[in-house]
């Protein structure tokens, strides 16, 4: 997005010019990481632009807020309307949506009762992990940073503060020349990518790390599990040791931003044949088929923008 900002943003109930959506420097969230947010995509479909799993993303936003006792001043329906409005106002079709709610200005103590500010931004976004990665795959590394231990910072909340962990993992990986970092949980077992869930393929079956492995319970992860099972591909949720990364036939990362990205190497060792394998390609076809119309949307996941 860099300098090419969209024209409008929704903030606290109103559409505003992008430049006017400002926050006080003493807002609670800026100091203490007290924000919750979502990343959602809209796609062009044969029936017009549609937001993918909007209701599920907003439900997760409200669950994240609930974990932190953050009062939400709007209903889910009101925020869903805001998401549609900001896409339409900016004239976007294929877009990334970013609803964010945060403790605003109102007190400096950790437990201060602050007002919750809410904004929704949207902009055009291509493949998150770089151009061409959906075809070519990425080179990943195991991060030297682990994910949060259980009962420290809840990994299942999509809160701003969690992304300090994500930044350490992603920045270390980029610094070392890798496309993305994979983190281990505090148990030493596999967790997930800096901003993506993880699937390994063994003998044609998909294996993915469980909620107890300090992951964010990803909506793309759930989508892939559902699509795979509906198409006769077995999915197993299980803990896995690090060395499985070096033994898997295929590995993929998934997330709203990363979509379905093949991993072609880990720590310099090729995964399988060093390129996207057949199960990964099949999952990409099923996933992107939801937007082209090739995969039937039996779950009503596509929410029309207009
Ligand atoms: N894990 C983390 C840490 C993430 O930030 C994301 C992106 N939201 C995911 C997994 C994937 O989640 P989703 O598929 O819901 O975007």
């Amino acid at each position: 997005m860099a300098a090419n900002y969209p024209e409008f943003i929704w903030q606290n109930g109103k559409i505003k010019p992008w430049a006017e959506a400002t926050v006080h420097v003493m807002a609670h969230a800026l100091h203490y990481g007290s924000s919750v947010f979502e990343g959602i995509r809209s796609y062009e479909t044969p029936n017009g632009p549609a937001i993918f799993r909007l209701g599920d993303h907003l439900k997760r936003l409200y669950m994240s807020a609930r974990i932190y006792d953050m009062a939400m001043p709007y209903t889910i329906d009101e925020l869903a309307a805001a998401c549609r409005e900001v896409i339409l106002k900016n004239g976007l079709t294929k877009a990334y949506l970013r609803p964010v709610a945060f403790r605003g200005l109102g007190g400096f103590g950790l437990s201060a009762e602050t007002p919750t500010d809410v904004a929704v931004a949207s902009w055009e976004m291509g493949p998150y992990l770089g151009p061409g990665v959906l075809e070519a795959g990425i080179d990943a590394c195991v991060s030297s940073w682990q994910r949060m231990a259980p009962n420290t910072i809840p990994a299942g909340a999509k809160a701003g503060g969690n992304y300090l962990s994500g930044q350490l993992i992603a920045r270390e990986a980029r610094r070392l020349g890798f496309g993305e970092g994979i983190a281990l949980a505090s148990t030493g077992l596999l967790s997930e990518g800096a901003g993506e869930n993880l699937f390994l393929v063994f003998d044609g079956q998909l294996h993915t790390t469980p909620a107890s492995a300090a992951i964010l319970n990803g909506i793309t992860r759930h989508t892939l599990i559902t699509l795979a099972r509906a198409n006769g591909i077995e999915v197993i949720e299980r803990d896995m040791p690090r060395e499985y990364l070096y033994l898997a036939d295929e590995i993929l990362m998934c997330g709203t931003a990363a979509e379905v990205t093949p991993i072609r190497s880990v720590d310099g060792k090729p995964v399988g044949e060093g390129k996207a394998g057949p199960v990964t390609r099949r999952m990409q076809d099923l996933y992107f088929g939801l937007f082209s119309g090739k995969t039937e949307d039996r779950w009503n996941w596509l929410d029309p923008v207009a």
Side-chain angles (χ1 to χ4, degrees):
M1 181 172 58
N4 204 1
Y5 298 127
E7 206 172 343
F8 297 108
I9 189 165
W10 184 98
Q11 190 185 25
N12 295 328
K14 285 196 280 288
I15 289 280
K16 299 181 173 179
W18 178 273
E20 288 175 22
T22 53
V23 173
H24 199 278
V25 293
M26 291 312 291
H28 196 273
L30 192 57
H31 299 256
Y32 305 129
S34 36
S35 66
V36 295
F37 68 97
E38 276 300 319
I40 311 173
R41 275 190 192 258
S42 65
Y43 288 91
E44 285 177 38
T45 79
N47 301 318
I51 305 175
F52 187 57
R53 303 193 66 170
L54 175 62
D56 293 318
H57 278 283
L58 292 179
K59 256 190 232 160
R60 187 172 66 187
L61 180 72
Y62 281 67
M63 289 195 291
S64 300
R66 189 179 163 87
I67 290 170
Y68 284 102
D69 302 324
M70 203 182 285
M72 292 294 283
Y74 303 98
T75 64
I76 288 195
D77 286 349
E78 285 168 334
L79 265 200
C83 289
R84 290 194 186 88
E85 194 183 358
V86 79
I87 289 185
L88 287 170
K89 276 277 182 193
N90 283 313
L92 299 166
T93 51
K94 196 173 183 302
Y96 184 81
L97 267 166
R98 168 54 58 84
V100 60
F102 58 93
R103 292 197 195 278
L105 187 65
F108 309 124
L110 286 176
S111 63
E113 289 305 333
T114 50
T116 307
D117 283 11
V118 185
V120 184
S122 72
W123 63 89
E124 246 179 71
M125 188 169 79
Y128 169 66
L129 294 169
V133 296
L134 298 177
E135 296 76 33
I138 59 159
D139 301 307
C141 62
V142 173
S143 181
S144 69
W145 293 100
Q146 292 186 338
R147 296 272 298 163
M148 315 63 112
N151 213 24
T152 56
I153 290 177
K158 193 167 170 65
N162 293 24
Y163 287 81
L164 290 170
S165 158
Q167 287 175 59
L168 290 171
I169 296 161
R171 295 186 71 91
E172 179 187 64
R174 306 295 189 283
R175 191 166 62 243
L176 298 176
F178 292 96
E180 187 57 298
I182 297 170
L184 305 177
S186 63
T187 53
L189 299 168
L190 288 182
S191 177
E192 62 174 355
E196 308 85 8
N197 291 123
L198 203 56
F199 283 84
L200 280 66
V201 178
F202 292 99
D203 297 327
Q205 296 176 334
L206 286 163
H207 297 242
T208 191
T209 51
S212 53
I215 65 167
L216 179 73
N217 209 337
I219 289 165
T220 317
R221 173 184 181 276
H222 179 264
T223 302
L224 295 190
I225 292 173
T226 307
L227 288 173
R229 289 185 176 150
N231 286 276
I233 300 168
E234 200 169 326
V235 186
I236 302 158
E237 293 181 66
R238 60 180 302 207
D239 273 321
M240 285 177 278
R242 170 178 178 167
E243 60 269 27
Y244 278 25
L245 292 173
Y246 313 128
L247 302 173
D249 303 324
E250 304 175 33
I251 306 178
L252 67 86
M253 277 184 158
C254 72
T256 298
E259 298 170 305
V260 182
T261 302
I263 296 186
R264 64 182 178 195
S265 74
V266 180
D267 294 337
K269 298 173 192 251
V271 175
E273 291 174 17
K275 57 182 197 204
V279 178
T280 303
R281 288 285 179 232
R282 176 97 175 102
M283 294 319 300
Q284 286 184 321
D285 285 348
L286 288 169
Y287 185 74
F288 292 110
L290 286 166
F291 316 123
S292 70
K294 217 173 116 195
T295 304
E296 191 197 343
D297 177 19
R298 286 161 40 192
W299 303 273
N300 282 319
W301 283 333
L302 295 171
D303 206 317
V305 172

